[in-house]
Structures are given as C-alpha cells and as structure tokens.
Amino acid sequence: MSSAADYNMSSGYSPNGIVVPPWLNKGDNAWQMIAATLVGLQSMPGLVILYGSIVKKKWAVNSAFMALYAFAAVWLCWVTWGYNMSFGHQLLPFWGKARPALGQQFLLMQAVLPESTHFFKDGSTETVWINPNYPMASMVYFQCVFAAITLILLAGSLLGRMNIRAWMIFVPLWLTFSYTIGAFSLWGGGFLFQWGVMDYSGGYVIHLSSGIAGFTAAYWVGPRSTKDRERFPPNNVLLMLTGAGILWMGWAGFNGGDPYSANIDASIAVLNTNICAATSLLVWTCLDVIFFKKPSVIGAVQGMITGLVCITPGAGLVQGWAAIVMGILSGSIPWFTMMVVHKRSRLLMHVDDTLGVFHTHAVAGFLGGATTGLFAEPQLCNMFVPVTNSRGAFYGGNGGMQFLKQVTGALFIIGWNVIVTSIICLVVRLIVPLRMPEEELAIGDDAVHGEEAYALWGDGEKYDSSKHGWYSDNETNLQARNKAPSGVTQNV
C-alpha cells in the first residue's frame, strides 16, 4: 500500500511553491476575498434589486440598469488607472500617479500601499507602510468594489430622470476626478492620512462623498416630472426588503475587511456594524410611530442605512456602547433633517434628491465621522490608526484635536465634491443633455430601454378581462370550449 509520501504534492498546496509564497497567509487572503465579494454583493444584486423595487414601476428597469452599468464601468476604469490614482505612488498631496493594475508582476507580488507610510513632522517615520499577507490582486479587488458602490449610491439621487447616456459619461469622470482624490487623501497616504483624520471604512470616502455629489448632480440634472415628484410609490416593497437585507449583511465585508487582515479588530468592526444598524432602525421606526402613528417599511430601511453609514468611519475604533449611541443619533438626526428640515428648506425642496441620499449618506456620514472623533477608543485606535496615541475627545489628551481633524476632513470632502461634481456635470452637458426629454419622462422604461419590468397591464389601469384575459371576447371563449377534448374543461 502506497504512503502519502509516495505522491507528489501539488504546487498549489506546497508551502514552498511559487503559488504559496512564504509571505502568504491563506486565512487573511480568504477573508479579504470573501469581504470583497460581500461588498460586491451589496451592489450586485443588492442595490440593483433595491433601486429597481423602491422606485415607481415605470422606472424599475432604468434604475436597476444605472446601478448595473456603474458596477461594470468602474471595474474597467479601476484596473486601468483608478487603483493607482487612489493607492499608488504620490503625484500630489491628494492624488496618486495613474498607471494600470493589470500586469502579472504587479498583481502577484505581496500587497503594499506604497504611500501609506506615516511620518512625523520632522520627516522621520512614525508608522511603516501597510504590507498585508496576500497578493496585490486581492487588494485591487477589495478596493474596486468600494469604488463601485460609491457610484451606485450616488445614482440614488438621480433616479427617474437622468439621461442614461449622460450617466454613462459621468461615471468614469467622477471616479477619476472625485473618488480617487478622496481615497488617496484619506486612505492612500495623502495629506489627510498624514494629518491623522480617521475614516475606518469609508464614512467620508464613500458615503459623505456620494451624498454630497449626488445632491450636487441632482441640482444640475434637474427634477423628475411633476407627476413623479408628487407620487412615487415603490413597485415592490417585499423585493425592496430583499435588496436592503443583502445590503445589511454585505456590510460585514464592508467594515470587517478594512483592517486588511482577519484579526480581532475586524471582529469588533462587524459586531459594532450590526449594533449600530439595529439601533438606528429601531429609533427611526419609533419616531415614525410617534409622529405619523404607523411604522413605515421604507422608513425602517432608511434607518437601517443611516446606522450602517454612521458606524462606518469608526466601526473598529469605538466600543459597543458608543455604537449604540451612534445608532441613536443616526436614527434621529437624519430622520429630523429628512422629515422636518427638508420640508422647511428652500434649497432642499428645490433639489430633487430621489432617494434622499443627502440625508441617508451625507448627513449620516458626517455624523459618523464627527462622533468617531468623540468616541474613538485609544486601544482600538492603536490596532488600526497609523498616528500613535490617537483617541477621541471623550478620552481626553489630544482627543479634542482629533474632533477638529474629523470636521476639517469632512469639509474638504464636501467642498471638493461640490466643485468637481458641478464641473463634471457642466462638461457632460456640453456633450449630451443631463435630463431625459419630456416624452421619455412621461413614459419611462419602455421609452428609454424598450423594456418593462413586469409583464402586467398598464400602470394604474384597472383589470379588464376582455382586454387582459386569455381570450378577448366571448366568441373566442366559446370556440375554445368547443375544441376542448372530451372530459377536459378549459379554465377561461
């Protein structure tokens, strides 16, 4: 009988083989790819389903397609130039050098974020660069799905009226001139990173930027048709909840993958994510019951999202009790801005932000970043933040300065996105109209795509058996009965 030693071990499993180099940690690599896939599922199919269901029936296909297109377009832009503009060698204090992330030599080497070394003011090294124990291919994959979901979240402000051709041009431009700036500045070794602004998993890079950019783009694109603004009911609430559920569960990868390792801080981040989301959902629902006398399913989804967004900047940096406090704030303050402030503000009423992305992502993202500056716990900060002795204001020391850094970082993201998004919209407007023509706005999906979401009778039209039944008249019905085989009754 042959022993195991008689067989040659496959190079794919050999500890010394080129497929398993000494620096590779299979557990970290597996978790990073799983986390990336979870984030990808938030977009495809999570937000595709949510967007296609939460809008009016006539915009279901177009809304889902905007998300689908953005997900695909970002991939090609990311590996061609976007990754290295966000995480590569520095070109400017807020921007990396554009180069492809496609070559075998680059993708198979050990992951490294070249400009993530943190320096003291005198130029000496404080914290060395991040060097995860898996290949660059895993890092490129993980960061790409973050970039993709940012564009899809932004699209939520523009549903129901943006010219699809304009959207197709807008996506690569905004990724290049807005997203990469925020990512490099806060994550890739840029000036906000060096200053010590905390953004654990994208409260600023993803949520604040998408909320502000979406609101700005909505201003330039213009509103939906008057009929759609007055009445825009979801076409499938249960399917909307399916998309929302995928979004919530996918957030485990969103926040759990950002330590770039399957370590104990990742566990804290995932737990805090769910604590904050659940608290926020319950607070939002209670406010709906108190003021509107009934719980709203859409409101519960909004509360879930604001909780997930709020905890993102500090998921692995705060304690569980702080996650509850952040959930209470994220379930109440965005509710107040959406339900009260929005209806009293001339600017907010003028800009048609279809899904209220300004409130659910910009307000909640800013709130999360600010509260991280209050509640960031020193021991947890030491596990993740490159600036030594970092802490929130609640813990004394230099915590007050940290809060100031958080607010300043948010103001940079807000200002950059207002300016750059406006410029991009004005440039796109020179090529194609930003808003659909009125005839397309009146018809919806059938006019834009030649397709409809459901094979049902007309939008708002009552059922008429003579028009919508299997047979359109009594004569045809009678002929069908007469032709039926003996003993068989036609169901007509």
Side-chain angles (χ1 to χ4, degrees):
M1 184 174 181
S2 300
S3 65
D6 295 330
Y7 297 95
N8 291 324
M9 182 180 290
S10 168
S11 62
Y13 296 92
S14 173
N16 298 316
I18 59 172
V19 182
V20 187
W23 47 260
L24 179 67
N25 183 304
K26 292 184 179 180
D28 282 349
N29 192 36
W31 168 240
Q32 207 63 39
M33 289 193 290
I34 290 170
T37 303
L38 287 171
V39 179
L41 287 171
Q42 290 182 290
S43 298
M44 276 293 297
L47 285 171
V48 170
I49 294 174
L50 193 151
Y51 282 5
S53 306
I54 202 171
V55 297
K56 199 172 185 178
K57 172 183 170 290
K58 73 176 186 177
W59 292 116
V61 171
N62 185 256
S63 301
F65 182 78
M66 286 180 69
L68 176 64
Y69 168 80
F71 190 77
V74 167
W75 269 102
L76 195 58
C77 298
W78 190 250
V79 297
T80 306
W81 66 81
Y83 175 79
N84 279 296
M85 292 180 75
S86 303
F87 296 96
H89 294 283
Q90 180 174 305
L91 175 66
L92 298 170
F94 52 84
W95 219 0
K97 295 180 181 178
R99 55 174 289 204
L102 291 168
Q104 173 182 330
Q105 289 185 335
F106 177 78
L107 295 175
L108 293 184
M109 72 177 187
Q110 185 175 3
V112 58
L113 303 183
E115 297 301 326
S116 62
T117 302
H118 196 275
F119 301 98
F120 287 112
K121 291 182 180 179
D122 62 4
S124 60
T125 300
E126 180 175 10
T127 304
V128 298
W129 60 43
I130 300 171
N131 211 177
N133 296 319
Y134 45 77
M136 285 297 303
S138 297
M139 180 64 74
V140 174
Y141 175 31
F142 181 72
Q143 296 297 348
C144 181
V145 288
F146 276 79
I149 199 172
T150 308
L151 266 299
I152 295 172
L153 293 173
L154 191 161
S157 296
L158 308 172
L159 302 181
R161 86 284 198 169
M162 187 172 189
N163 184 340
I164 192 64
R165 295 173 182 82
W167 176 244
M168 294 171 73
I169 301 171
F170 179 92
V171 168
L173 290 176
W174 192 87
L175 174 76
T176 303
F177 296 103
S178 184
Y179 182 83
T180 59
I181 299 293
F184 187 84
S185 298
L186 282 157
W187 289 343
F191 75 105
L192 292 176
F193 176 91
Q194 296 295 337
W195 196 34
V197 177
M198 298 177 184
D199 188 11
Y200 187 87
S201 193
Y204 286 174
V205 175
I206 295 171
H207 301 294
L208 182 60
S209 65
S210 62
I212 294 298
F215 186 81
T216 304
Y219 170 82
W220 291 108
V221 172
R224 288 165 288 171
S225 65
T226 302
K227 184 178 179 181
D228 282 352
R229 289 198 75 179
E230 291 175 349
R231 179 166 172 75
F232 206 70
N235 67 84
N236 194 323
V237 173
L238 295 180
L239 203 56
M240 177 195 72
L241 287 174
T242 301
I246 296 172
L247 190 68
W248 186 344
M249 291 297 97
W251 227 281
F254 201 105
N255 289 343
D258 256 296
Y260 301 139
S261 173
N263 59 25
I264 57 176
D265 197 38
S267 302
I268 292 290
V270 172
L271 183 61
N272 282 338
T273 298
N274 287 278
I275 291 172
C276 188
T279 304
S280 183
L281 184 154
L282 296 175
V283 170
W284 192 295
T285 300
C286 289
L287 289 172
D288 278 348
V289 171
I290 292 170
F291 290 95
F292 303 124
K293 309 306 178 186
K294 60 181 67 174
S296 166
V297 175
I298 296 178
V301 171
Q302 302 279 41
M304 175 203 82
I305 292 172
T306 56
L308 293 167
V309 170
C310 184
I311 194 62
T312 294
L317 306 175
V318 303
Q319 298 187 67
W321 64 264
I324 293 176
V325 173
M326 293 169 76
I328 293 171
L329 295 174
S330 65
S332 55
I333 294 177
W335 182 94
F336 180 75
T337 63
M338 181 180 287
M339 301 300 177
V340 179
V341 176
H342 185 100
K343 297 175 181 177
R344 299 181 181 181
S345 169
R346 183 174 298 179
L347 174 62
L348 294 177
M349 287 292 289
H350 174 72
V351 178
D352 182 16
D353 181 0
T354 308
L355 299 185
V357 178
F358 174 80
H359 304 283
T360 57
H361 292 273
V363 174
F366 179 85
L367 182 65
T371 50
T372 297
L374 296 176
F375 301 135
E377 199 275 333
Q379 183 178 350
L380 293 173
C381 288
N382 289 338
M383 296 180 183
F384 182 81
V385 180
V387 181
T388 55
N389 299 317
S390 294
R391 65 191 62 224
F394 185 83
Y395 294 92
N398 60 349
M401 186 61 185
Q402 186 63 51
F403 180 78
L404 176 62
K405 291 179 181 180
Q406 296 301 109
V407 174
T408 305
L411 292 177
F412 170 76
I413 294 295
I414 292 170
W416 185 267
N417 277 280
V418 169
I419 294 170
V420 171
T421 304
S422 295
I423 294 173
I424 291 172
C425 287
L426 293 174
V427 170
V428 173
R429 193 168 68 178
L430 296 176
I431 304 171
V432 294
L434 291 172
R435 189 169 179 264
M436 294 179 189
E438 293 297 330
E439 54 269 23
E440 290 186 358
L441 291 174
I443 298 171
D445 289 338
D446 194 30
V448 180
H449 300 279
E451 299 164 317
E452 292 187 359
Y454 305 109
L456 303 174
W457 49 91
D459 190 10
E461 183 179 353
K462 293 184 177 179
Y463 180 83
D464 183 348
S465 61
S466 67
K467 294 172 61 179
H468 304 298
W470 285 2
Y471 304 102
S472 60
D473 55 67
N474 289 334
E475 182 179 352
T476 305
N477 196 351
L478 182 60
Q479 292 174 356
R481 284 198 181 97
N482 292 336
K483 292 180 180 179
S486 177
V488 177
T489 302
Q490 289 278 63
N491 182 17
V492 293

